[in-house]
Amino acid sequence: MNKIAERLEALREELRREHLSAFVFPTTDPHNSEYTADHWKGREWISGFTGSAGTAVVTLKSAALWTDSRYFIQAAEQLKGTEFQLMKLKIEGTPTISEWIASELSTSDSQSSTEIGMDGMVNTVAVVEKMKEELKQRGGITVRTNFDPLARVWKDRPQIPQSPVEIQPMELAGEETTSKLIRIRQALRARHADGMLVTALDDIAWTLNLRGSDVHCNPVFVSYLLIASDKATLYINKVKLTAEVRDYLKSQGVETADYSEVSKGLKDYFEYNILLDPDEVCYTLYQQVTRNIVRGASPIATMKTVKNEREQQGFRSAMLKDGIAMVKFLKWLDENIGKQTLTEISVSDKLESLRAEQPLYRGLSFDTIAGYEAHGAIVHYEATPETDIPLHAAGFLLLDSGAQYQDGTTDITRTIALGPLTEEQRRVYTLVLKGHIQIERCKFPAGASGTQIDILARESLWREGLNYLHGTGHGVGSYLSVHEGPHQFRMEWKPAPLVAGMTITDEPGIYLEGKFGVRIENTLLIIPYKQTEFGQFLQFESLTLCPIDTRPIVKELLLPEEIAWLNDYHQQVLTALSPHLDGEEKEWLKGACAAI
């Protein structure tokens, strides 16, 4: 708390010096990343809030932080004792950022300017333009984008990472970079664009069949890719490129330049026009472009979501390995709960060690969420030495985890009964499971969006007056980011169509603050179902191979088709994993997969 107060005072000194009334700190970096390298964690540094989503705003006399429902409980705890007021997104009565800024500045008795600051390198074009328009309508407040106060006040700021880049081999990537560039250029021509600036790190990694380790849990590397009609240039710190990678890029028709030269590259861009995605490209770089700008979404994001045959095979291989590790873990947990001291952190460490034994393991795909009882109600809870609590042979452990294997990325949640449960826990668990199964069983016409399917996960919950505010599912990268879009299962309208070859999670949940949380998650692959006179229909294949705990189930709440699905799924898990387990592990798995 003292550190946050000191940082706020240092920031305000800089704001006064620059004649600014407020400053906005997003979670993102110059690449609009969901997860960022430490160098760009300015919002976390100024506020103390460590969640992966949120925006902090500091005026000369006040401070506030906006975040979504996944982090309400965590943010309230981490902001306690600081100046920061928690603003709960999508909750009635919560002001927007621009509304709050206008209100705070209008009530301020200072004679400071009515100009606020936003670092144009870490805010997208769309975000800055929207803020400018909203503040203009609320008292004529202006926005300055060429100032980063963190460069002055963050004395021990981490450097931009310089980790080496490695090649993703063709037997795993499934398509050459030259082929991908041809497809990208075709998509650009269809939009009347000669080229584009690629800023999203996972898009760059996918396009070039390269991977890195610059961002925690994400195998990406800090860079830009400028694609023109007959050339492509990777802007990157060249110390990251081995001789092998430089030769590889040359063979794929990709030139290299220093990361800091991207602004010059945009100014020197020689084509007639260039596609820039206002939701991805940062405002400062957008301002450097002198050619005609075609505004639109990058075609790469959608291309990347449709996995080719090699990538699909890689996912199945990664899920098999992950299932083996999960079964070994669940058996170990069953045998040791109540007999030795286990904590949220110790079980997380155990699971990570079992995954690390698997071939092609490259690390976690996100920090493990191991929440026991009340901690399970904190949607994105991550245990720390201060919050770590012991597990007892009673109640629920919510375990959301995943791994990066070189052949695929995994994401799985199991809510595990450690012993006796309350009737409320069993009922909520069963209702969540019903929603999970209804998504898994869904058949739907090609082109349907995730919003149209999302209701299947919620219908049983809504009948009981229960709901969750996060999405029901997100895309998963192929040894890339664990969150991948644009397709999703979500209540809010997301028009991105669901296409065969896409991966997507199925993860409904319910969170009762101070009591417990339940979430059940598999990663699915969209595959063909049947062709009829009404067109192509699609269905889901469960890629995740791990038993779902049947002990909490209230069987009477399940429909016959839901019971049949669960029994069939467990038979698939048993058949797939048994050949890779020892005798005792097979016996444990048989019991866990027994028909209900």
Side-chain angles (χ1 to χ4, degrees), residues 214 305 378 456 537:
D214 284 350
T305 62
I378 305 173
L456 295 175
F537 283 74

Side-chain angles (χ1 to χ4, degrees), residues 49-70:
F49 169 60
T50 61
S52 67
T55 301
V57 183
V58 180
T59 74
L60 296 176
K61 291 191 174 181
S62 56
L65 181 132
W66 284 256
T67 193
D68 61 51
S69 63
R70 296 172 297 169

Side-chain angles (χ1 to χ4, degrees), residues 183-196 227 275 299:
R183 289 204 288 139
I184 292 166
R185 288 178 175 124
Q186 288 173 341
L188 291 174
R189 285 196 294 272
R191 302 186 190 189
H192 307 290
D194 302 308
M196 68 175 292
I227 299 174
L275 183 141

Side-chain angles (χ1 to χ4, degrees), residues 217 352 355-356 360-366 402-405 410 479:
C217 294
E352 184 176 357
R355 283 188 164 120
L360 300 182
Y361 175 78
R362 294 292 183 269
L364 299 179
S365 56
F366 57 96
Q404 295 285 6
Y405 302 94
T410 70
Y479 183 38

Side-chain angles (χ1 to χ4, degrees), residues 19-34:
H19 305 290
L20 292 172
S21 299
F23 205 88
V24 179
F25 296 91
T27 298
T28 56
D29 60 8
H31 307 275
N32 197 36
S33 304
E34 178 183 13

